[in-house]
Amino acid sequence: QVQLVESGGGLVQAGGSLRLSCAASGLPFSIYTMGWFRQAPGEEREFVAAIRGYGGNTYYADSLKGRFTISRDNAKNTVYLQMSSLKPEDTAIYYCAIGVRIRDPHLREEYDRWGQGTQVTVSS
């Protein structure tokens, strides 16, 4: 049974940093593309970042480049999202997702499994 468990969310002041983690189980983690999405209240779930399996190619939402960094540790079956220079508008529930055959990592419908999400709140 595939499971994704996010952690690392919390309350942080504007300008601060957080690192989110997503631990995967029940699958051969290293071959899959992993993605991070976020959803603010009343908004659509939006793409944040993604990282391919073996090749490790990364993708970012244009508006977040330079502040967010995605990485993975295949030995630990874990993907990370390092977030810095956080802004109040980064407040959202952050979800990780995994996909078997992903053509466009930016599209949420390409992903097969989702975690339960972790809340990130940035105060001004």
Side-chain angles (χ1 to χ4, degrees):
Q1 184 180 355
V2 176
Q3 248 191 330
L4 302 175
V5 179
E6 301 99 332
S7 61
L11 175 63
V12 63
Q13 287 189 330
S17 298
L18 279 176
R19 188 177 80 157
L20 306 183
S21 300
C22 173
S25 60
L27 74 172
F29 176 80
S30 61
I31 68 174
Y32 292 123
T33 297
M34 300 296 297
W36 284 99
F37 288 73
R38 67 184 185 183
Q39 188 167 18
E43 302 290 331
E44 295 281 328
R45 191 171 298 189
E46 65 175 359
F47 172 76
V48 173
I51 185 167
R52 292 291 190 185
Y54 291 122
N57 288 347
T58 56
Y59 308 81
Y60 294 94
D62 288 342
S63 61
L64 301 177
K65 284 180 183 176
R67 295 197 299 122
F68 288 18
T69 302
I70 190 170
S71 62
R72 66 192 295 160
D73 185 338
N74 289 335
K76 296 182 178 179
N77 284 10
T78 300
V79 63
Y80 304 98
L81 184 68
Q82 178 69 46
M83 307 184 294
S84 60
S85 302
L86 284 163
K87 306 174 182 179
E89 51 263 43
D90 293 318
T91 295
I93 299 174
Y94 284 70
Y95 299 88
C96 72
I98 191 165
V100 176
R101 295 185 182 86
I102 292 183
R103 292 156 293 184
D104 185 347
H106 301 81
L107 302 178
R108 62 176 186 262
E109 55 265 30
E110 299 261 338
Y111 293 84
D112 304 303
R113 293 284 190 275
W114 294 81
Q116 83 288 350
T118 185
Q119 176 71 49
V120 171
T121 303
V122 184
S123 63
S124 56

